[in-house]
Amino acid sequence: MNQIINKKVGGITVFTLVMLITGSIDNIRNLPTTALFGTTLVFFFIFSAIVFLIPAGLVSAELASTWTEKGGIYHWTKLAFGKHWGFVAIWLQWINTMVWYPTILSFIAGTLTYLLDPSLANSKLYLVSVILISFWGLTIVNLKGLHLSAKFASICAIFGMVIPMLLIISLFLIWMILGKPLQIHFTSHNIFPTFHTTDSWISLTAIMTAFLGMELAAVHVNEIKNPQKTFPKALFISVIFILVTMVLGSLAIAYIVPAATINLVDGIMQAFQDYLQTFHMGWALPILTILLLVGSLGGIINWIISPAKGLLHATEDGYLPKFLQKTNKYNVAQNLLILQAIVVSVVCLAFILMPSVNGSYWLLTDLSTQLYMLMYVLMFLGAIVLKFKYSHVKREFAIPGGKLGMIFVGLLGLVGTFITLIVGFFPPEGINVGGAWHYEISFSIGLILMIVPIVLFFWYQKVGNKAKVIENEFA
């Protein structure tokens, strides 16, 4: 594996690609959310891997290694269903990140409180301030181009994601060996969810959220040497690493922090604090805090630039105004990145509207997941269509089983996405969301506001095409 990881592939190494993927998906800030569901989390991780993570990885690998001139969800869906559906797909991928950014940035804010004042974790004004400062700062870094941001993301992933993740897993294993007290206990009765109630299945939203973004690195496929072999290889390494670390990391929190006291914003710091104090390593908490801050910042990098890069492809087909197509000397769509920073700033108002920080965090996580799942519906359906529509195109990596294999994997992925879409409309118990009606109304309004602009962009593109026709007639 060391030979694989260290092998050079043009401007980006396989190692860098693995770090981009795992750094974007395998984020330690997801652990408190998944740990909240105790003994059933193992079942849901395995279930989610089978019906979503593995299908998404296999489909992304085949599509990215087949269409190497242009990669990403916009190009794939456009080939399968046409420009309009391609725009719908890339819009869903882009707009969901606008809702997602405040959640990971709030994790940064919550972690930072351990260097400042832990009581600030429940201050909405503090959270919003840190979110805005962090996101605008990362946007400036991304304006310097992919190679700088990719290197930055790789370094951050190593020190801020890999090391802390391995540390909390190691502390957890030592805790178990020493026979320390545990908050949960596995039995044959509690390892599986209760199928006749929706609450246990709501945990699926949290775990699916931890797996989103497997296809994201595909937009960089034309910047990688020999992507036909490199991309599937990097995806395989990433899937294994993500699954193992997420399961063990979630258990590391669930075992020692009571579910009722887990804070979604700074829950990981709660766990580390308990571990380090027990093992008389309290001196390491400030160092660990800095590492987690670095890792979180690096995890956002690929999310800021990749969906925006995909949306830039859509502007070339006339869906967005020309000023959004403007790129700087680093070939970065600077106006588009600035626009998304403005949108994120507005979305941060959710922390003010919800009655609790945990409630705001969950609402944004759920809304982001639902939007992303709609995109995955198009990706899985599109992959099946492309398998038949372009059956003559050579595939350097192909899902085993030919067309039947693609149908099976695609349908498996659709099962996972539809289940997640259904349970996403139910508010969780144990989190103050202001009541079921308040949550469902806020959630529905948010979903509508995120999707409705698509119609306006269709109208804009139609008007633009008519203008071009008239211009050509008079030319």
Side-chain angles (χ1 to χ4, degrees):
M1 183 175 289
N2 290 332
Q3 292 178 345
I4 292 174
I5 291 179
N6 292 320
K7 182 181 176 183
K8 289 282 184 180
V9 283
I12 300 178
T13 63
V14 176
F15 175 78
T16 301
L17 191 57
V18 170
M19 288 297 101
L20 277 173
I21 296 171
T22 56
S24 299
I25 300 173
D26 193 16
N27 199 299
I28 199 167
R29 67 102 191 175
N30 292 320
L31 300 184
T33 313
T34 52
L36 199 62
F37 301 96
T39 55
T40 59
L41 71 86
V42 175
F43 167 84
F44 279 116
F45 265 113
I46 296 173
F47 178 79
S48 300
I50 293 172
V51 301
F52 182 74
L53 181 63
I54 294 173
L58 289 172
V59 167
S60 298
E62 176 163 330
L63 295 178
S65 61
T66 302
W67 284 276
T68 56
E69 292 184 6
K70 286 185 178 181
I73 190 65
Y74 176 71
H75 185 63
W76 301 334
T77 311
K78 177 182 173 181
L79 285 174
F81 304 117
K83 293 180 181 178
H84 276 6
W85 284 110
F87 179 77
V88 171
I90 190 59
W91 174 261
L92 290 170
Q93 187 189 64
W94 181 77
I95 198 65
N96 102 84
T97 60
M98 301 302 102
V99 183
W100 172 81
Y101 291 131
T103 64
I104 187 171
L105 289 165
S106 67
F107 169 76
I108 291 175
T111 303
L112 186 60
T113 61
Y114 281 78
L115 291 178
L116 304 174
D117 179 3
S119 65
L120 289 173
N122 292 314
S123 170
K124 297 177 182 179
L125 179 60
Y126 163 77
L127 286 177
V128 172
S129 299
V130 174
I131 288 170
L132 295 179
I133 294 171
S134 301
F135 192 78
W136 280 95
L138 289 170
T139 297
I140 293 172
V141 172
N142 270 288
L143 289 175
K144 298 298 182 180
L146 173 64
H147 288 288
L148 175 62
S149 59
K151 291 177 181 178
F152 177 76
S154 297
I155 294 171
C156 289
I158 295 170
F159 289 99
M161 186 273 291
V162 175
I163 293 176
M165 188 75 83
L166 294 178
L167 176 60
I168 196 169
I169 292 172
S170 300
L171 291 172
F172 161 60
L173 294 176
I174 295 172
W175 185 284
M176 294 285 288
I177 292 171
L178 294 177
K180 298 287 185 178
L182 305 175
Q183 295 296 327
I184 62 172
H185 300 274
F186 285 94
T187 68
S188 58
H189 300 290
N190 65 15
I191 194 170
F192 296 105
T194 304
F195 292 93
H196 61 273
T197 62
T198 58
D199 189 61
S200 60
W201 281 89
I202 293 172
S203 59
L204 189 63
T205 298
I207 292 173
M208 284 294 199
T209 300
F211 288 160
L212 298 177
M214 184 57 67
E215 81 299 335
L216 203 62
V219 296
H220 307 311
V221 73
N222 60 350
E223 300 179 45
I224 302 170
K225 184 179 179 182
N226 196 17
Q228 293 89 347
K229 294 182 179 179
T230 300
F231 201 86
K233 199 176 293 181
L235 277 174
F236 174 76
I237 297 171
S238 300
V239 166
I240 299 300
F241 185 80
I242 290 167
L243 190 56
V244 171
T245 54
M246 286 300 294
V247 171
L248 293 178
S250 298
L251 288 174
I253 297 178
Y255 265 122
I256 72 160
V257 181
T261 64
I262 293 177
N263 188 305
L264 300 187
V265 171
D266 66 340
I268 187 66
M269 294 305 299
Q270 287 179 287
F272 268 123
Q273 191 172 43
D274 288 347
Y275 279 123
L276 295 176
Q277 287 179 350
T278 300
F279 295 127
H280 307 290
M281 297 173 60
W283 55 267
L285 192 62
I287 299 173
L288 190 61
T289 301
I290 294 172
L291 290 178
L292 289 171
L293 290 172
V294 169
S296 299
L297 292 173
I300 301 174
I301 287 291
N302 196 36
W303 286 91
I304 290 180
I305 200 168
S306 295
K309 189 174 181 180
L311 193 60
L312 182 63
H313 295 160
T315 65
E316 297 168 359
D317 287 326
Y319 287 101
L320 297 177
K322 286 187 177 180
F323 80 90
L324 291 177
Q325 300 180 35
K326 183 180 179 181
T327 57
N328 60 19
K329 62 180 181 180
Y330 301 105
N331 198 32
V332 174
Q334 59 181 24
N335 291 343
L336 199 53
L337 291 189
I338 293 172
L339 173 64
Q340 72 179 21
I342 294 172
V343 174
V344 169
S345 301
V346 175
V347 173
C348 284
L349 294 174
F351 280 96
I352 299 174
L353 297 175
M354 292 299 288
S356 70
V357 171
N358 270 5
S360 304
Y361 189 98
W362 183 268
L363 173 66
L364 293 176
T365 298
D366 194 9
L367 184 57
S368 172
T369 303
Q370 295 295 85
L371 291 166
Y372 218 148
M373 283 299 156
L374 290 173
M375 186 221 76
Y376 277 111
V377 170
L378 292 175
M379 188 181 89
F380 287 125
L381 289 174
I384 295 172
V385 170
L386 290 174
K387 192 73 170 183
F388 287 84
K389 190 175 181 180
Y390 294 95
S391 58
H392 60 283
V393 176
K394 183 182 178 182
R395 288 160 167 78
E396 295 296 333
F397 170 82
I399 293 172
K403 293 177 180 178
L404 287 177
M406 174 60 81
I407 291 173
F408 175 76
V409 171
L411 290 178
L412 201 58
L414 287 170
V415 169
T417 55
F418 281 124
I419 291 175
T420 308
L421 286 169
I422 293 170
V423 301
F425 281 90
F426 298 96
E429 294 182 7
I431 297 178
N432 184 8
V433 293
W437 279 106
H438 180 268
Y439 180 84
E440 289 172 6
I441 291 173
S442 300
F443 179 78
S444 299
I445 291 174
L447 205 57
I448 292 170
L449 289 176
M450 298 296 113
I451 296 176
V452 163
I454 293 174
V455 178
L456 299 177
F457 291 123
F458 281 173
W459 172 82
Y460 179 86
Q461 196 254 4
K462 184 178 180 180
V463 171
N465 286 342
K466 286 184 178 179
K468 287 181 181 179
V469 171
I470 294 174
E471 185 181 337
N472 291 333
E473 288 179 352
F474 285 94

